[in-house]
Amino acid sequence: MPGRWLIGCFLAAALATASPLLAQPGRPLAPLPPDGLRVAPFFDGFYQNDDGSVTFSFGYSNLNTELVEIPLGPENFITPKEFDGRQPTSFPPILPDTPAGRRDRARGVFTVTAPPGFKGDVVWTLRYLGQTYTVPARTRHSAYMLKWPMAMGSIPPLLRFAPDGPAGRGPTGIESGPVKATVGTPLAVTIWATDDSVREKDPVEVTSRRETRTGAINVTWYKHSGPGPVAFDPAKAIIAELQGTSSTSVTFTQPGEYVLRVRADNFGRLDTSAGNQCCWTNGYLRVAVTP
C-alpha cells in the first residue's frame, strides 16, 4: 500500500510539471548535492465528506538539506483562486535518521475542502530556482481515497489549543488565534491531545530504526508561513500517555503575520505511519508578531 501511494503521488507531480524530475543533472547513483535541488508539491489523496464536499490533502518534497522559503504569490499558488492561501511558505527538508538513508517527503501538511458538486481539479504550483512543479488534486481514481480507522483501529488523535476548546482531527485539524507576540520574547504555547483509537491488541511489539515507540503521542512543531525564522524549544516532544499536554516556547526574529503548525501523531503502532497516510492531526496557530 505505501509503495503504491508513493509511486502514484510521484507520478502525479512528475507528469504535471513543466520541468521533469528526470531533468536533474548528475549521475543516477551519485549522492545528492546539499542544495540547488527541487521543491515539489504532492497530492496525497482525498477524503469524501458526509455533506458531499471533498477534502484534498497535500504535502511536498524538498530534496535540499536546508530549509527553503517560497512566499505566496507567483512562485507559490493554488488554483482555483478561492482555495489559495492555506499552503505553506516554509519547506524544511525531511532528513533521514542515518547518512545513508534517502530524503523523505512531508505528507498531509495542509488540506483544501471543495464544496459539494465540485468537479474540477485543485492545482498547487511551486516555482524554485527556475523550475516549475505543478500537481493536480482530483477524485477521479478511488485509489486516492483516504479514510480511517486503519486496519487495527488507529485513528488520528484529537488536538486542542485549550483544555475546553474545539478539537480537530486529521490533516485538516484545528485552527486557532491570532495570538500576539513580540520579537525576541518567547511565546509559550500548549496543546492538549488525546488518542481515542479503539484498537485491536498488537500481536507483537514491533519497532524500526526510524520509529521507536517511546510514548503514546508524538508532537512536532513547524513554521508553516511567515516572514522570518522561528525557533521552537523544544521542536519535538512526546506525550507518554493516551491523553495529555505538550508545551513549547516559540521565539520570533522578525515582525509580521505567522502561522505555526503542530503535528500530533501516534506513529509507532503497527497500522499507523506517514507512509500509510495515517494517523496524525495538524494544528495551525496564527501569531501576530510586533517589533
Side-chain angles (χ1 to χ4, degrees):
M1 179 66 173
R4 182 177 68 176
W5 278 106
L6 179 59
I7 293 171
C9 294
F10 185 90
L11 289 177
L15 293 175
T17 179
S19 301
L21 301 182
L22 297 179
Q24 294 290 344
R27 295 170 295 173
L29 299 181
L32 290 173
D35 53 30
L37 297 172
R38 64 139 168 92
V39 180
F42 275 72
F43 168 50
D44 289 321
F46 68 92
Y47 300 91
Q48 188 69 59
N49 303 317
D50 293 340
D51 64 357
S53 64
V54 175
T55 296
F56 299 106
S57 179
F58 291 92
Y60 70 85
S61 171
N62 173 13
L63 288 183
N64 302 278
T65 58
E66 301 296 331
L67 180 146
V68 172
E69 299 278 356
I70 308 177
L72 299 179
E75 311 299 313
N76 179 359
F77 63 93
I78 290 176
T79 55
K81 191 173 182 179
E82 62 262 33
F83 302 124
D84 193 27
R86 289 183 57 85
Q87 69 271 32
T89 66
S90 184
F91 301 88
I94 310 300
L95 301 177
D97 293 336
T98 59
R102 64 177 178 82
R103 297 173 198 171
D104 204 347
R105 68 179 185 86
R107 297 168 173 84
V109 174
F110 73 101
T111 63
V112 167
T113 298
F118 181 81
K119 298 297 183 183
D121 293 343
V122 175
V123 182
W124 185 18
T125 298
L126 288 175
R127 296 190 174 112
Y128 180 64
L129 296 180
Q131 299 181 12
T132 298
Y133 294 96
T134 298
V135 65
R138 55 183 56 149
T139 61
R140 299 175 193 173
H141 303 289
S142 61
Y144 284 91
M145 182 179 289
L146 305 173
K147 59 182 179 179
W148 328 300
M150 299 303 285
M152 297 185 67
S154 289
I155 60 176
L158 287 170
L159 188 148
R160 293 178 169 88
F161 283 104
D164 299 320
R169 192 194 299 276
T172 299
I174 186 74
E175 297 184 17
S176 186
V179 299
K180 296 180 180 180
T182 57
V183 169
T185 302
L187 171 69
V189 182
T190 299
I191 64 160
W192 285 255
T194 303
D195 181 0
D196 57 347
S197 303
V198 179
R199 297 186 178 92
E200 300 177 18
K201 184 178 179 180
D202 290 352
V204 292
E205 183 74 11
V206 175
T207 60
S208 71
R209 287 178 297 177
R210 297 192 64 192
E211 292 177 349
T212 301
R213 190 187 308 172
T214 57
I217 302 173
N218 308 297
V219 178
T220 310
W221 287 90
Y222 306 89
K223 173 190 153 185
H224 191 73
S225 63
V230 175
F232 299 98
D233 184 20
K236 295 184 177 182
I238 289 173
I239 299 175
E241 305 298 331
L242 293 174
Q243 182 173 352
T245 65
S246 179
S247 299
T248 190
S249 179
V250 192
T251 304
F252 303 87
T253 60
Q254 297 180 27
E257 301 295 322
Y258 291 78
V259 176
L260 309 179
R261 180 172 72 96
V262 59
R263 188 189 72 188
D265 68 69
N266 50 32
F267 296 166
R269 296 283 183 170
L270 291 178
D271 60 344
T272 168
S273 72
N276 289 333
Q277 295 293 343
C278 195
C279 296
W280 68 92
T281 297
N282 291 322
Y284 303 92
L285 178 65
R286 290 176 288 125
V287 184
V289 180
T290 55

